[in-house]
Amino acid sequence: MHGRPRKALKPEEEAAFSAKAEKLRILQSQVLQNHHNKIYNKEALELSEKLVTTNPEMYTAWNYRKLAVDHSLNQLQSDPDALKSILDQELRVVEDALKRNFKCYGAWHHRKWVLSKSHSSLDKELRLLNQLHKLDSRNFHAWNYRRFVTASMNRSDLDELKYSEEMILNNFSNYSAWHNRSVLLSNLLEKKVEGFLSKEQVLPNEYAFIHQAIYTDPDDQSGWFYHLWLLDQTVKNASPHLVSSWPAHHSVLRSIHSDMSQFPVILYFNQAVGGLNSTTVIIKCANIINEDLIWKPLSANNSQTAQAWITHLKFQDLPIQPAEAIAVEVDIGHSEGIISSSGIRYAHQSQFTFTVCAEAVEVKSINVQSEDIVSWKDENFEIDEPNLDKLSTEFDKLSIKNDSWQATAIAGEVECFHELLALTNCKFGKLALARLLKAHDTMIFPGGNKAVHSDEILELHRELMILDPTHYQLYKDEHSLVLLQQVISNKGSFLKHCFHYKGLKSSITGFPTCVRLNNLSLSRMGSFEKLLWVQMLDLSHNELRSIEGLEALQLVSCLNLSHNQIRSFTALEALRHMKSLKVLDISYNEIGNHTIDTTRYLCSSPLSHSIGNEWKHDESIDAKYWESYFIFKDMNLIQLDVTGNAIAEDGNFKLFLIKVLPHLNWLDGDKVL
């Protein structure tokens, strides 16, 4: 059981345990031998029965029994009584196995398989489940099996909803019953059963119901999980929609004539979507053939769905004259095909236009390789005030009116939990209140242009970090996201973070090229939809452990990640997709300090799955650098700084970097010869 310390075995106990293990190994060997030789006689079945009732977790033994039973059933198809007898015996075997371990996946799946043969009584199964729930009302395996049985017998969702409510009233701490209730309500709402025609009709009553559990025991998390589900159902917009783009709507981009070989167009959605192509996204521009454009998902895990997508308009063959304007129109969703990762179709037609002007102007560009080193010292930056409205655009403003049922429900919950927290210092209440306040701001002010409750939310997360140190990092990450949104949503505060670098301007926009979000104690990045236009980004002196999501910022040429808490190259997976990146500073992190890379469990990185085949392509690379090789091998960096990381103390690592990055001019502040 969880949390119980193991005690050292006495010599006689250890001897008995070893003897038992040896018998089990012999039994497993015999069953596997029968499996290999396809022996399905009575003696073989008895051996496998002994094994699965002794060790129900051996999934192969259950699969062997399926083959053996199918073999017997095929020989007795003309004898219904014999068929039923065989299947009844299988049910008894499963019951014996579940008595041994009633949380065994293999046993429950085998029982489903037996019932799928349609020779067993579903009513009997339901009675058995009722008995089991009396012994263990929260067994989620039994609840999952119950959903299978009730679906097979076409039992009414309303009847099951009543049963779930009875189980909840019997024990408010029954998480499985709460979960079952959420499944049933989702089904009833989807089918629009009488009394469940809309969320407006159902959810307010559910909020009132869950309050009984929360006020009975505020420290029990079962009810809070259900409350989180209710909140999600209240505020979420199921249909995907476009959030922002680059270039922005009605923007005029003045591009250096020589740099117009490829011009990016980036779309950012509210959730991961797939299906973007020349049919679902139509780009109208003189002398450009829409069908030739290829849309690519910007996803660090190599998925075919992503929140951000990119294509490149190719201008190299166009007869563009200086000061000539090129009008571009982008239409999204005018034909079906865009679909979210959850299977919901894109239903919001969106359109934006922008203009590109070619200028034969001699200007130093951060996109042009330079012999000069880029320094991140404060004296190299000058504050500027760009027109932020021309840099980003909000699409499909799905704001909810203050008098809507959703706004009324959220306001009621906020008031309820303010009252609760006045009575008890409950961590679940604080977390729920923070989520409610954030949901309110998101609903009323979509796009994050106003963060009315951000100060209160930040204070709640600070209190949670103290009250519940076990989950400190979770609260810290949420605090960082809200803080970042607060900085960016307020135009006055955001302008304080916008800079020129020594008068350096972009070859594409002409706008200030650097956003400095350093020294904010950020542990997680977000609000990427507001930063698509950024070309120099300073995230130094924060507490970042990964840069997941940064791959959406395709215009970034210079990136400063120094003085953070990045533990390995796995956390830098997003860099592989940032094709414009030329200058990178990852100095003074923790790369190489840790022998076990726990970052791969914090980020959705595919490194552990895709590295093998690519590594074989260049066996001359030292295997201990495999992660860094995978990150850097396709990058065109001209400046890199890894000083202050443990791995930088390895003299051979610098030689490796010079070999993998052939365009590198500067390494750790020194000129590459």
Side-chain angles (χ1 to χ4, degrees):
M1 295 294 290
H2 300 296
R4 292 187 181 179
R6 293 188 177 186
K7 296 181 180 180
L9 296 175
K10 297 178 181 179
E12 59 272 20
E13 292 175 332
E14 189 170 346
F17 184 81
S18 298
K20 185 178 178 181
E22 180 60 27
K23 289 181 180 179
L24 184 59
R25 278 193 291 268
I26 293 172
L27 184 57
Q28 287 178 342
S29 178
Q30 291 173 324
V31 171
L32 291 175
Q33 187 67 29
N34 288 336
H35 188 13
H36 179 75
N37 295 326
K38 299 182 180 180
I39 299 174
Y40 304 131
N41 56 31
K42 181 180 178 181
E43 290 76 15
L45 273 171
E46 289 175 350
L47 275 176
S48 68
E49 178 181 345
K50 186 177 180 180
L51 177 57
V52 296
T53 53
T54 303
N55 180 21
E57 296 294 346
M58 189 176 181
Y59 211 99
T60 303
W62 289 112
N63 287 337
Y64 167 70
R65 285 197 70 83
K66 291 181 177 66
L67 295 173
V69 170
D70 271 337
H71 176 78
S72 300
L73 294 178
N74 290 334
Q75 293 181 332
L76 299 169
Q77 288 184 353
S78 60
D79 189 346
D81 291 337
L83 292 176
K84 188 175 184 306
S85 176
I86 291 173
L87 293 173
D88 286 345
Q89 171 60 18
E90 282 306 293
L91 291 176
R92 285 191 290 271
V93 170
V94 174
E95 286 178 30
D96 290 341
L98 289 174
K99 290 175 183 176
R100 183 82 176 182
N101 179 6
F102 59 84
K103 294 184 178 181
C104 175
Y105 286 92
W108 285 109
H109 283 299
H110 193 73
R111 197 168 185 89
K112 284 184 180 180
W113 177 81
V114 174
L115 254 65
S116 70
K117 298 295 182 180
S118 303
H119 288 278
S120 305
S121 169
L122 294 173
D123 289 330
K124 180 182 177 182
E125 291 300 296
L126 206 56
R127 289 194 296 271
L128 287 172
L129 283 167
N130 289 339
Q131 293 176 10
L132 179 58
H133 279 157
K134 290 179 181 178
L135 298 173
D136 182 7
S137 63
R138 296 187 291 186
N139 187 325
F140 74 89
H141 296 274
W143 280 97
N144 184 48
Y145 184 65
R146 184 183 182 91
R147 285 190 286 274
F148 168 78
V149 171
T150 55
S152 300
M153 63 191 303
N154 294 318
R155 181 174 162 87
S156 166
D157 284 339
L158 287 171
D159 290 339
E160 281 300 287
L161 188 66
K162 182 179 179 181
Y163 176 80
S164 295
E165 185 168 334
E166 291 173 355
M167 298 297 289
I168 290 169
L169 292 174
N170 186 52
N171 180 7
F172 276 137
S173 187
N174 192 335
Y175 171 77
S176 295
W178 285 113
H179 171 68
N180 198 55
R181 187 175 183 84
S182 70
V183 172
L184 293 167
L185 285 176
S186 296
N187 292 341
L188 290 166
L189 286 166
E190 184 177 354
K191 297 174 183 176
K192 295 190 179 298
V193 175
E194 174 123 9
F196 300 86
L197 297 177
S198 68
K199 291 181 179 180
E200 181 179 1
Q201 185 180 15
V202 175
L203 296 189
N205 294 330
E206 291 301 304
Y207 278 117
F209 183 49
I210 192 61
H211 289 168
Q212 299 178 50
I214 289 173
Y215 272 83
T216 300
D217 186 359
D219 292 321
D220 184 86
Q221 59 186 320
S222 300
W224 290 109
F225 277 116
Y226 187 70
H227 187 273
L228 179 60
W229 177 80
L230 288 177
L231 176 60
D232 184 56
Q233 296 302 306
T234 303
V235 303
K236 81 173 182 180
N237 178 35
S239 175
H241 62 273
L242 186 66
V243 175
S244 65
S245 72
W246 194 89
H249 187 37
H250 290 324
S251 59
V252 178
L253 308 180
R254 305 189 180 281
S255 181
I256 297 173
H257 184 258
S258 61
D259 287 330
M260 291 190 61
S261 59
Q262 289 203 356
F263 193 88
V265 176
I266 306 166
L267 303 179
Y268 199 96
F269 297 85
N270 68 322
Q271 57 186 286
V273 298
L276 273 71
N277 52 49
S278 58
T279 302
T280 56
V281 181
I282 298 175
I283 294 184
K284 301 174 183 178
C285 179
N287 300 321
I288 288 184
I289 302 174
N290 179 69
E291 286 71 17
D292 291 342
L293 299 179
I294 299 175
W295 285 93
K296 295 182 180 180
L298 297 172
S299 171
N301 58 12
N302 293 336
S303 170
Q304 289 306 303
T305 62
Q307 281 190 264
W309 285 73
I310 188 171
T311 192
H312 287 88
L313 306 186
K314 300 178 181 179
F315 290 108
Q316 66 265 31
D317 298 326
L318 297 183
I320 303 172
Q321 300 300 321
E324 181 178 352
I326 304 170
V328 182
E329 178 182 309
V330 183
D331 295 326
I332 306 106
H334 288 271
S335 62
E336 293 186 356
I338 300 177
I339 188 169
S340 72
S341 55
S342 58
I344 301 175
R345 296 188 178 281
Y346 186 92
H348 303 275
Q349 294 184 3
S350 304
Q351 181 187 86
F352 65 95
T353 60
F354 60 92
T355 303
V356 180
C357 294
E359 293 185 352
V361 178
E362 292 298 326
V363 61
K364 197 175 184 179
S365 165
I366 63 171
N367 291 324
V368 178
Q369 293 190 9
S370 171
E371 294 298 317
D372 297 332
I373 190 169
V374 174
S375 171
W376 296 95
K377 293 181 179 180
D378 292 341
E379 59 263 27
N380 294 320
F381 293 93
E382 302 170 357
I383 290 181
D384 206 334
E385 297 186 0
N387 188 340
L388 296 176
D389 294 331
K390 291 185 178 181
L391 292 174
S392 62
T393 302
E394 295 172 37
F395 293 91
D396 298 325
K397 294 186 177 180
L398 303 176
S399 59
I400 297 174
K401 295 180 180 179
N402 281 310
D403 60 353
S404 68
W405 75 266
Q406 295 104 317
T408 301
I410 296 300
E413 292 303 291
V414 169
E415 182 180 357
C416 173
F417 292 128
H418 274 138
E419 293 175 357
L420 177 67
L421 292 175
L423 300 173
T424 177
N425 193 30
C426 171
K427 68 176 182 180
F428 297 120
K430 290 180 183 291
L431 184 57
L433 181 58
R435 287 168 171 164
L436 285 163
L437 294 171
K438 186 176 181 180
H440 174 273
D441 288 354
T442 302
M443 279 197 310
I444 307 303
F445 309 107
N449 285 329
K450 289 187 179 180
V452 177
H453 295 100
S454 59
D455 287 337
E456 185 177 358
I457 298 170
L458 291 171
E459 179 59 29
L460 285 166
H461 285 305
R462 282 192 289 267
E463 292 174 0
L464 283 165
M465 283 184 254
I466 299 172
L467 183 63
D468 183 19
T470 303
H471 300 100
Y472 175 90
Q473 196 60 53
L474 168 67
Y475 306 132
K476 178 63 178 175
D477 288 351
E478 290 300 316
H479 182 277
S480 297
L481 293 177
V482 175
L483 177 62
L484 187 59
Q485 185 181 28
Q486 184 185 56
V487 169
I488 293 177
S489 64
N490 184 288
K491 187 178 296 186
S493 66
F494 193 19
L495 287 175
K496 296 177 182 178
H497 297 270
C498 297
F499 294 84
H500 280 306
Y501 178 83
K502 290 182 177 177
L504 187 67
K505 290 192 176 183
S506 163
S507 64
I508 297 178
T509 66
F511 292 117
T513 58
C514 187
V515 170
R516 305 192 74 188
L517 299 171
N518 53 327
N519 289 299
L520 294 178
S521 297
L522 299 175
S523 63
R524 184 177 174 186
M525 274 296 294
S527 299
F528 299 109
E529 71 278 5
K530 296 284 188 179
L531 302 170
L532 299 181
W533 54 275
V534 175
Q535 294 175 300
M536 288 186 76
L537 182 60
D538 185 356
L539 296 173
S540 63
H541 297 274
N542 282 299
E543 300 171 21
L544 296 173
R545 297 177 300 152
S546 83
I547 57 170
E548 189 170 8
L550 211 64
E551 62 273 7
L553 309 188
Q554 286 291 296
L555 302 186
V556 171
S557 297
C558 303
L559 177 62
N560 186 359
L561 294 170
S562 66
H563 297 275
N564 275 282
Q565 296 175 11
I566 296 170
R567 298 163 63 99
S568 75
F569 287 104
T570 306
L572 300 173
E573 169 72 5
L575 297 179
R576 298 180 61 237
H577 304 273
M578 300 174 70
K579 301 303 182 183
S580 299
L581 195 61
K582 301 294 183 184
V583 176
L584 175 64
D585 188 344
I586 53 174
S587 62
Y588 299 99
N589 277 276
E590 301 174 16
I591 302 174
N593 287 358
H594 309 277
T595 55
I596 298 177
D597 177 17
T598 57
T599 311
R600 67 177 67 253
Y601 307 110
L602 301 175
C603 316
S604 56
S605 169
L607 280 176
S608 57
H609 302 290
S610 55
I611 188 66
N613 292 333
E614 297 195 31
W615 182 257
K616 295 176 183 177
H617 294 168
D618 193 343
E619 296 181 356
S620 65
I621 303 296
D622 193 326
K624 65 182 177 181
Y625 304 139
W626 66 274
E627 285 187 338
S628 52
Y629 171 77
F630 191 62
I631 296 296
F632 290 130
K633 67 184 184 68
D634 294 321
M635 297 181 69
N636 293 308
L637 294 179
I638 61 174
Q639 180 179 324
L640 174 64
D641 195 339
V642 296
T643 308
N645 291 283
I647 196 169
E649 297 174 6
D650 181 351
N652 292 326
F653 183 64
K654 288 189 176 183
L655 297 176
F656 156 79
L657 290 174
I658 294 171
K659 178 179 180 180
V660 173
L661 298 167
H663 303 293
L664 203 62
N665 290 332
W666 297 92
L667 178 59
D668 295 345
D670 297 326
K671 183 72 174 176
V672 176
L673 302 178

